[in-house]
Amino acid sequence: YNCRPPLPVVLPSSTGQGLQISAQLTHREGQIFYSLLFENNTQVPLDGFMIQFNKNTFGLAAAGPLQVVIKHVN
């Protein structure tokens, strides 16, 4: 069991029209990861949104394709 503190909110649902995004850089097993959590705070499925990763001050680049794990919480 791995208990981690919640990720900081970077896009509140009030700004994201119901979509809330929490994110944080994490360090695991000698590698850096960008952990993202997407939450739908509406009663309907969200559709038609995209994510853009801009250049960053740390010079980090993707080591491979984006890996997505979807968890449905009711």
Side-chain angles (χ1 to χ4, degrees):
Y1 180 70
N2 191 358
C3 184
R4 296 184 195 145
L7 299 173
V9 174
V10 296
L11 177 73
S13 60
S14 58
T15 305
Q17 299 177 351
L19 171 64
Q20 179 168 297
I21 302 175
S22 302
Q24 186 174 44
L25 287 171
T26 58
H27 187 261
R28 287 179 280 162
E29 299 174 9
Q31 295 185 340
I32 297 174
F33 293 87
Y34 196 44
S35 299
L36 296 162
L37 173 64
F38 300 89
E39 297 180 70
N40 181 1
N41 292 311
T42 70
Q43 297 297 317
V44 295
L46 294 174
D47 187 21
F49 62 91
M50 298 174 17
I51 301 173
Q52 178 178 335
F53 293 96
N54 294 327
K55 293 181 181 178
N56 61 75
T57 57
F58 304 109
L60 299 175
L66 182 65
Q67 298 178 13
V68 178
V69 177
I70 297 175
K71 295 181 182 179
H72 295 278
V73 180
N74 295 333

